[in-house]
Each structure stands twice: as structure tokens, then as C-alpha cells.
Amino acid sequence: MDIEEFIANYKNHPVMFIGTGLSLRYLTNSYSWENLLKNIALEFNPNEEYYLDIKAKYMKGQYCAYEKVATDLEKDFNDYLQKNRNGKFERINDLFYKNMKKGINISRFKLYISDLLSNTEIKDCVLAEIAELKKARKNIGSIITTNYDKMIEDIFSFNPLI
């Protein structure tokens, strides 16, 4: 039984919950929570130990509080970009100052993540699966996702409610 047949058996429309696994499977540029943070850390500080030291502060056994890692990285990333106006992250600084001129204070870190995840290029090897997902769209009531990328909106033509 394929997904379309399975969903068609329901009288009401199900709600789908979609996590990072879908993006990791279908997108050319997708990240797990840890890989996203590690990638950002290495972009402005190529010493891997910098990231590992931050991560170590927030590990309890096998569990890591990545939201706290992200908070530390955000502070360091924003400070780094403020001190390095031009160069590798000049475009992010340009976006930051463009927003500030409008009275909008958005973290450089968040602008960078948004830019990093803005490309939703689907892997060629999964195009047939994506076509099947699109067919199932008419039978899906809504989608709940923790993903920051726009893949779901692009595939299902949903308007996000954040």
C-alpha cells in the first residue's frame, strides 16, 4: 500500500507531523540540529574545538541542550560579525543594517540561518517520491513541523502559520 492509498482510507483528513528527517532525505542542503550549529561555528571559527567546548558545557550524559549551544553561538557569531563588517559575512551584515534602518532588530545569527536554509533544492534521486507526496496533498488537513526550511511549503503549497 502506498501513502496515497493509506490516506484515502480516512474519512477525515489527517494532520501530518514532519521533522528534520524529511528534509534530510529530500534536500541537498539540510542539517540536523547539531550539524547546523557545528557548521555555523566552523564558518566563523574553523577550530572544531571551539564548537566542542561549547557543546561540552551543555551535555548531560548522551543528551545535549542544543538550544543553549545555539544561544552561546548566537552571541559569539553576532559579536564576530559586528567586529568584522566586511569579508565573508558582509552580505549578512548588509541585511542586518538594512533591517536596523527600518527599526527591525533581527539577530545576524538568525539572518544567517535563514539565508543558509533558504535554498530548498530537492535531490534528483527522490523526485518520484516527491511527486507521490504532492498527490497525497489533497488528503492532508494540515502539517505540523519543527523544520525551518521551506520544503513543506514548496511541496504542499501550504501557507505557514508560525
Side-chain angles (χ1 to χ4, degrees), residues 2 16-17 39 41 61 66 76 101 105 135 142 150 160:
D2 65 22
M16 288 182 78
F17 182 85
N39 179 54
Y66 289 112
D76 291 352
K101 286 178 185 177
N105 185 4
K135 288 180 192 175
S142 61
K150 299 287 187 191

Side-chain angles (χ1 to χ4, degrees), residues 20-31 119-131 151 155:
T20 305
L22 207 70
S23 295
L24 289 171
R25 177 171 177 80
Y26 293 123
L27 297 180
T28 58
N29 65 325
S30 187
Y31 305 89
N119 179 15
T120 54
E121 187 176 323
I122 296 174
K123 297 174 186 174
D124 289 337
C125 62
V126 295
L127 290 174
E129 289 180 35
I130 294 294
M151 182 187 79
I155 290 175

Side-chain angles (χ1 to χ4, degrees), residues 47-162:
N47 180 356
E48 184 180 29
E49 291 176 0
Y50 161 75
Y51 172 75
L52 294 174
D53 285 337
I54 293 173
K55 182 180 174 184
K57 289 193 315 189
Y58 301 111
M59 286 198 68
K60 298 232 190 295
Q62 295 296 320
Y63 172 77
C64 182
Y66 289 112
E67 70 281 2
K68 292 180 180 179
V69 173
T71 298
D72 282 10
L73 276 178
E74 180 174 21
K75 181 188 178 316
D76 291 352
F77 184 87
N78 290 343
D79 289 346
Y80 177 84
L81 267 66
Q82 185 177 5
K83 293 173 186 160
N84 296 279
R85 171 63 178 97
N86 301 310
K88 184 175 191 176
F89 299 103
E90 182 176 7
R91 197 167 75 71
I92 300 304
N93 273 322
D94 290 345
L95 287 171
F96 173 79
Y97 289 115
K98 181 179 177 182
N99 279 299
M100 284 303 297
K101 286 178 185 177
K102 296 177 187 174
I104 303 167
N105 185 4
I106 301 175
S107 160
R108 290 168 171 96
F109 182 77
K110 291 175 182 171
L111 288 169
Y112 182 68
I113 290 174
S114 176
D115 186 62
L116 193 62
L117 300 177
S118 65
N119 179 15
T120 54
E121 187 176 323
I122 296 174
K123 297 174 186 174
D124 289 337
C125 62
V126 295
L127 290 174
E129 289 180 35
I130 294 294
E132 292 300 313
L133 278 172
K134 286 181 180 182
K135 288 180 192 175
R137 162 59 183 103
K138 66 183 180 293
N139 295 315
I140 299 170
S142 61
I143 296 174
I144 298 172
T145 183
T146 56
N147 295 2
Y148 289 100
D149 59 61
K150 299 287 187 191
M151 182 187 79
I152 300 305
E153 291 92 324
D154 292 348
I155 290 175
F156 292 114
S157 300
F158 273 123
N159 291 321
L161 176 62
I162 301 171

